[in-house]
């Protein structure tokens, strides 16, 4: 899928300054070998099973299926330890970092889910953890900041630029440049320079690996007709699509339209983005004609990223995946719809995936899998506000 | 002859390369700063193209870039400001920025505009060597421009050799594994690195950058290379003297050359 230089078609690569070259090269040279070691596989699988709680269930959503006249299954990544799919990747990367002899972990976070998942595995392994988080995100995601601190992580505010996820990523990259020998950078999504997009996709691929076996058992066919996942950088979608890339299953990537595609307050990268370079990867990103990166907007901090992973840029560009954009309002409505029909409060990110059901068509005997990437505890204050408004 | 090659050939003394961000502190300071730097004795000038996400730069340069973008600086504006600058100065001029800016402007249009205003070389820190070789090198060399590459203490000797083959003008030797503006003094580990690269007998001369901030560190760096590059320290000086950009620029250069005492700097 990805070539040896890290490209998916024309997207990807490693556009990094020389100061990062040695670190990225070391990772590129070793990640596949380390990941295929039996002892690595054994340790990772045991942790995913005993600590994270995998396999996560594939749940047939009966009332949701009745409402939409389809056979809808939910892949329950919300039931993972720490409440989202993010920990699949941090478990993998912490084991990799240990084998690379790294003594210190850094990460970026937007909403704080990846930060919490990173702080969690660092606590588990007794490794120093520094998480960069935009100053504005620190204010609006206070509970996750407290969780990270309780887990022993140092949370450093990113005060440059727009003070959100893209700036937290810039600060983490700077930290890595300043600490090239002892530090591993755990990127939280399928973004960044090669090998990160491929490595993170491989760690998240457990989602579709389990889906295949579970669908076969429950429906007699391991291939569904449609898979739906939300996309910010795109890690949960990469995991849900991974083992289906060479099948006929329709792959639907749901982006955040914010206040609307044409509102100027949006994060729908596949519609608003053009080809460029962000965080070391050639991909689609939102930018001015002069190449300055535009700060995106979404009610969901996890989808609030001006780029998209190069794998997804390639899948959308070639027509293998279709993109649907969902506004803040549509996502909020879908969150309440799912909660009332199935008794599951989804994360705002995942709610975007459910909202896309209003915008797609299918045959009534179709099997649809929606990747329920995270739970909504972190978004409770937003949901409470919505209830008060209605 | 490329003006960078000429100055390296002509001048035996330590080469002083100073970086500034175009459009900072004011949108229209570009020409004034270039001419003041030249008058005061700067040998090579790096014109920073302000960028929203400059991952190889430290906070001082990023903040100056953010301010410059807010001031309205774009590449189109910058090339307009540099129009006919060659009627006033022959100091070698480099453009420093990120690959995305060049991509969006269009590589060929960018090189043509650079050539038209008299640019001598480019520094694009996030441009990988292999992409340069495959997609960019022919256009750059045909235009007679130099592509400047960076090396760091982590760069292997084998890779330094390869960079030396590809690079033109000089090699930008990053003094330590750190972001611009982050360090103050030259450490024993840096000395080892300087000696190691010195002994490699490279075809390109080297200029040392990152952490050079005053006469003393400039002199130290010049013991191990043909010259040194100053960025953040100059931006900080401009930030403190926004109302008198020209005189502040001249006194900064003099202080590095030690023609006035460091204490004269406010």
């Amino acid at each position: 899928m990805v070539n040896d230089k890290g490209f998916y078609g024309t997207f990807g690569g490693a556009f990094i300054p020389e100061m990062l070259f040695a670190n990225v090269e070391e990772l590129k040279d070793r990640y596949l070998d380390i990941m295929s070691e039996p002892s690595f596989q054994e340790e990772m699988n045991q942790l995913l099973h005993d600590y994270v709680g995998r396999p996560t269930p594939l749940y047939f959503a009966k009332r949701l299926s009745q409402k939409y006249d389809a056979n809808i299954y939910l892949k329950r990544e919300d039931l993972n330890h720490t409440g989202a799919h993010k920990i699949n990747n941090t478990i993998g990367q912490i084991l990799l970092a240990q084998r690379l002899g790294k003594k210190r972990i850094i990460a970026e976070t937007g909403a704080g889910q990846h930060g919490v998942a990173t702080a969690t595995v660092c606590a588990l392994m007794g490794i120093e953890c520094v998480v960069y988080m935009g100053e504005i995100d620190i204010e609006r995601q206070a509970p996750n900041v407290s969780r990270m601190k309780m887990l022993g992580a140092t949370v450093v505010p990113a005060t440059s630029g727009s003070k959100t996820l893209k700036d937290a990523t810039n600060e983490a990259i700077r930290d890595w440049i300043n600490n090239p020998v002892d530090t591993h950078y755990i990127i939280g999504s399928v973004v960044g320079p090669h090998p990160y997009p491929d490595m993170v996709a491989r760690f998240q691929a457990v989602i579709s690996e389990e889906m295949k076996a579970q669908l076969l058992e429950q429906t007699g066919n391991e291939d569904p007709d449609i898979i739906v996942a939300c996309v910010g950088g795109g890690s949960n979608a990469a995991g849900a699509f991974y083992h289906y890339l060479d099948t006929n299953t329709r792959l639907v990537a749901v982006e955040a339209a914010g206040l609307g595609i044409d509102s100027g307050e949006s994060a729908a990268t596949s519609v608003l983005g053009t080809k460029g370079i962000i965080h070391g990867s050639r991909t689609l990103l939102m930018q001015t004609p002069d190449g300055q990166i535009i700060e995106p907007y979404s009610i969901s901090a996890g989808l609030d990223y001006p780029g998209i992973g190069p794998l997804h840029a390639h899948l959308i560009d070639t027509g293998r995946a279709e993109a649907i954009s969902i506004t803040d309002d549509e996502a909020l409505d879908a969150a309440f719809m799912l909660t009332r029909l199935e008794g599951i409060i989804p994360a705002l990110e995942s709610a975007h995936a459910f909202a896309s059901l209003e915008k797609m068509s299918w045959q009534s005997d179709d099997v649809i899998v929606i990747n329920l990437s995270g739970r909504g505890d972190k978004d409770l204050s937003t949901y409470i506000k919505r209830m008060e408004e209605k | 002859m490329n003006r960078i090659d000429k100055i390296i050939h002509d001048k035996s003394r330590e080469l002083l390369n100073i970086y500034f961000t175009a459009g900072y502190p004011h949108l229209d300071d570009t020409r004034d700063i270039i001419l003041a730097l030249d008058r005061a004795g700067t040998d090579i000038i790096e014109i920073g193209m302000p960028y929203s996400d400059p991952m190889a730069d430290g906070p001082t340069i990023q903040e100056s870039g953010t301010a410059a973008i807010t001031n309205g600086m774009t590449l189109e504006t910058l090339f307009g400001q540099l129009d006919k600058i060659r009627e006033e100065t022959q100091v070698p001029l480099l453009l420093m920025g990120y690959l995305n800016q060049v991509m969006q402007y269009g590589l060929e249009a960018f090189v043509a505009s650079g050539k038209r205003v008299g640019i001598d070389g480019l520094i694009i820190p996030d441009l990988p060597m292999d992409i340069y070789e495959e997609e960019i090198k022919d256009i750059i060399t045909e235009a007679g421009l130099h592509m400047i590459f960076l090396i760091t203490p982590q760069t292997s000797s084998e890779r330094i050799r390869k960079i030396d083959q590809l690079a033109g003008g000089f090699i930008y030797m990053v003094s330590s594994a750190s972001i611009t503006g982050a360090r103050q003094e030259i450490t024993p580990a840096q000395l080892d690195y300087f000696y190691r690269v010195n002994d490699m007998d490279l075809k390109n001369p080297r200029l040392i950058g990152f952490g050079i901030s005053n006469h003393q560190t400039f002199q130290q760096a010049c013991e191990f290379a043909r010259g040194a590059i100053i960025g953040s320290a100059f931006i900080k000086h401009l930030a403190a003297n926004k109302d008198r950009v020209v005189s502040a620029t001249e006194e900064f250069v003099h202080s590095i050359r030690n023609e006035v005492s460091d204490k004269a700097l406010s």
Side-chain angles (χ1 to χ4, degrees):
Chain A
M1 186 175 19
V2 70
N3 73 18
D4 61 347
K5 287 185 173 169
F7 284 92
Y8 303 86
T10 57
F11 298 104
F15 295 85
I16 50 168
E18 185 65 25
M19 296 87 95
L20 279 178
F21 182 83
N23 273 345
V24 172
E25 188 77 354
E26 178 187 33
L27 204 56
K28 185 183 81 136
D29 287 346
R30 297 196 54 195
Y31 81 109
L32 290 176
D33 287 344
I34 291 174
M35 285 172 71
S36 63
E37 282 167 14
S39 67
F40 179 92
Q41 285 289 325
E42 192 181 327
E43 194 175 354
M44 184 175 76
N45 290 336
Q46 183 160 17
L47 281 170
L48 288 177
H49 185 271
D50 300 343
Y51 184 74
V52 175
R54 301 204 73 92
T56 58
L58 183 76
Y59 163 67
F60 176 65
K62 193 174 164 195
R63 297 186 68 209
L64 191 69
S65 298
Q66 278 166 0
K67 176 177 165 70
Y68 286 104
D69 191 24
N71 299 299
I72 302 175
Y73 291 80
L74 311 185
K75 183 59 176 162
R76 297 293 308 275
E77 292 301 299
D78 60 317
L79 296 178
N80 283 322
H81 179 42
T82 72
H85 69 290
K86 290 291 185 190
I87 198 160
N88 301 331
N89 170 46
T90 60
I91 289 278
Q93 284 204 49
I94 197 81
L95 296 175
L96 191 86
Q98 285 181 321
R99 282 157 177 81
L100 290 170
K102 304 292 181 179
K103 307 289 181 214
R104 179 173 173 271
I105 295 296
I106 57 172
E108 85 295 337
T109 197
Q113 291 304 103
H114 173 58
V116 168
T118 303
T120 298
V121 298
C122 287
L124 178 69
M125 300 298 175
I127 295 181
E128 183 189 350
C129 179
V130 177
V131 179
Y132 288 88
M133 188 168 184
E135 202 170 41
I136 290 174
D137 290 334
I138 286 179
E139 283 167 28
R140 61 184 181 184
Q141 305 287 339
N144 272 344
V145 176
S146 302
R147 288 168 82 192
M148 285 185 270
K149 286 181 177 168
M150 186 167 171
L151 286 159
T154 305
V155 180
V156 180
T159 57
S160 64
S162 51
K163 306 179 175 58
T164 58
L165 176 58
K166 108 182 150 62
D167 308 286
T169 307
N170 290 335
E171 294 299 328
I173 290 171
R174 284 198 182 121
D175 180 308
W176 209 21
I177 288 174
N178 286 327
N179 298 283
V181 180
D182 67 338
T183 297
H184 175 70
Y185 177 18
I186 300 189
I187 293 184
S189 192
V190 286
V191 301
H194 178 64
Y196 278 102
D198 183 53
M199 181 172 72
V200 176
R202 285 169 187 268
F203 286 135
Q204 292 295 356
V206 65
I207 298 171
S208 49
E209 187 186 322
E210 289 174 6
M211 267 163 53
K212 284 209 154 191
Q214 291 166 325
L215 280 167
L216 184 64
E217 191 188 323
Q218 293 184 39
T219 71
N221 184 350
E222 63 177 19
D223 295 348
D225 296 288
I226 306 173
I227 299 173
V228 183
C230 63
V231 173
S235 67
N236 91 77
F241 296 168
Y242 196 88
H243 290 289
Y244 291 101
L245 292 172
D246 297 329
T247 69
N248 292 320
T249 298
R250 268 174 74 191
L251 306 176
V252 179
V254 184
E255 296 184 307
L259 300 182
I261 295 282
D262 301 321
S263 67
E265 298 288 335
S266 182
T269 309
S270 77
V271 183
L272 300 169
T274 52
K275 209 171 186 181
I277 295 168
I278 181 170
H279 297 136
S281 179
R282 186 193 278 166
T283 185
L284 295 173
L285 65 124
M286 291 166 54
Q287 56 185 326
T288 68
D290 212 37
Q292 308 293 349
I293 297 172
I294 292 172
E295 185 56 25
Y297 165 78
S298 163
I299 193 172
S300 144
L303 302 182
D304 201 354
Y305 184 70
I308 183 173
L311 164 65
H312 296 299
H314 176 64
L315 293 177
I316 292 168
D317 189 53
T318 56
R320 176 67 191 95
E322 53 198 285
I324 292 180
S325 352
I326 294 299
T327 64
D328 290 357
D329 264 343
E330 291 165 341
L332 284 165
D333 286 345
F336 281 87
M337 180 269 296
L338 182 69
T339 304
R340 299 290 162 83
L341 280 180
E342 298 289 349
I344 297 170
I345 301 177
L348 262 170
E349 290 77 13
S350 319
H352 284 71
F354 287 90
S356 72
L357 289 170
E358 296 285 339
K359 302 200 165 185
M360 291 162 48
S361 53
W362 52 79
Q363 312 287 323
S364 62
D365 59 349
D366 276 358
V367 171
I368 303 174
V369 178
I370 300 178
N371 198 34
L372 178 44
S373 56
R375 61 176 171 247
D377 308 29
K378 72 184 177 61
D379 299 309
L380 217 52
S381 64
T382 307
Y383 292 151
I384 290 167
K385 199 168 149 226
R386 181 76 167 184
M387 283 192 286
E388 287 165 352
E389 282 167 8
K390 288 241 158 166
Chain B
M1 192 182 203
N2 186 297
R3 293 177 196 87
I4 302 169
D5 297 330
K6 187 166 178 347
I7 200 144
I8 286 166
H9 181 266
D10 290 354
K11 284 205 178 178
S12 57
R13 68 167 179 174
E14 301 96 338
L15 295 174
L16 173 60
N17 175 331
I18 293 187
Y19 167 97
F20 77 99
T21 302
Y24 180 84
H26 314 102
L27 180 62
D28 295 321
D29 287 337
T30 310
R31 289 179 87 91
D32 291 345
I33 291 176
I34 290 171
L35 297 176
L37 284 170
D38 181 28
R39 259 197 317 275
T42 308
D43 298 307
I44 301 173
I45 298 173
E46 245 179 75
I47 305 166
M49 305 182 285
Y51 188 51
S52 57
D53 294 75
M55 74 160 117
D57 289 303
T60 304
I61 288 176
Q62 173 158 13
E63 279 163 29
S64 70
T66 304
I69 293 166
T70 306
N71 289 344
M73 183 51 83
T74 63
L75 287 187
E76 204 61 61
T77 303
L78 176 58
F79 284 124
Q81 290 175 344
L82 295 175
D83 197 34
K84 298 198 171 69
I85 190 95
R86 286 306 176 200
E87 293 176 5
E88 296 176 75
T89 174
Q90 292 305 310
V91 67
L93 294 174
L94 300 170
L95 286 176
M96 189 276 178
Y98 290 81
L99 186 55
N100 194 47
Q101 299 174 279
V102 178
M103 271 177 72
Q104 302 315 317
Y105 194 90
L107 174 64
E108 293 186 16
F110 182 82
V111 170
S113 293
K115 189 74 188 155
R116 176 174 58 80
V117 300
I119 295 298
D120 302 292
L122 305 174
I123 303 179
I124 304 175
D126 62 339
L127 170 62
M129 258 201 300
D130 55 342
I131 299 278
Y132 174 67
E133 264 189 294
E134 289 161 22
E135 301 178 13
I136 294 177
K137 187 178 169 216
D138 290 348
I139 297 169
I140 299 288
T141 48
E142 204 165 292
L145 299 181
H146 283 323
M147 184 64 77
I148 312 295
F149 285 93
L150 279 64
I151 62 171
T152 81
Q154 270 68 44
T155 309
S156 68
S157 297
E158 186 193 351
R159 191 168 162 83
I160 291 174
R161 293 265 176 232
K162 198 173 169 204
I163 287 170
D164 191 39
Q165 288 308 309
L166 270 187
F170 62 89
I171 287 175
Y172 190 140
M173 190 172 180
V174 177
S175 62
S176 69
S178 80
I179 292 284
T180 55
R183 304 287 159 104
Q184 296 296 325
E185 286 171 11
I186 292 176
T187 65
Q190 283 172 279
L191 289 179
D192 289 346
Y193 159 60
F194 295 158
Y195 284 126
R196 173 169 71 89
V197 179
N198 240 351
D199 292 345
M200 288 183 72
D201 208 17
L202 301 175
K203 96 179 150 74
N204 285 289
R206 283 157 287 120
L207 300 188
I208 293 177
F210 287 38
I212 315 295
S213 60
N214 53 27
H215 176 71
Q216 187 207 351
T217 45
F218 176 68
Q219 288 294 325
Q220 275 182 303
C222 289
E223 287 171 30
F224 305 96
R226 280 300 300 279
I229 302 167
I230 299 179
S232 300
F234 178 52
I235 300 294
K236 278 181 192 158
H237 188 64
L238 284 179
N241 298 283
K242 288 179 184 169
D243 54 338
R244 50 175 202 94
V245 167
V246 169
S247 61
T249 299
E250 289 174 341
E251 79 191 12
F252 182 84
V253 176
H254 293 151
S255 77
I256 300 299
R257 295 290 193 193
N258 209 19
E259 285 153 19
V260 294
S261 110
D262 287 0
K263 285 175 193 135
L265 295 182
S266 54

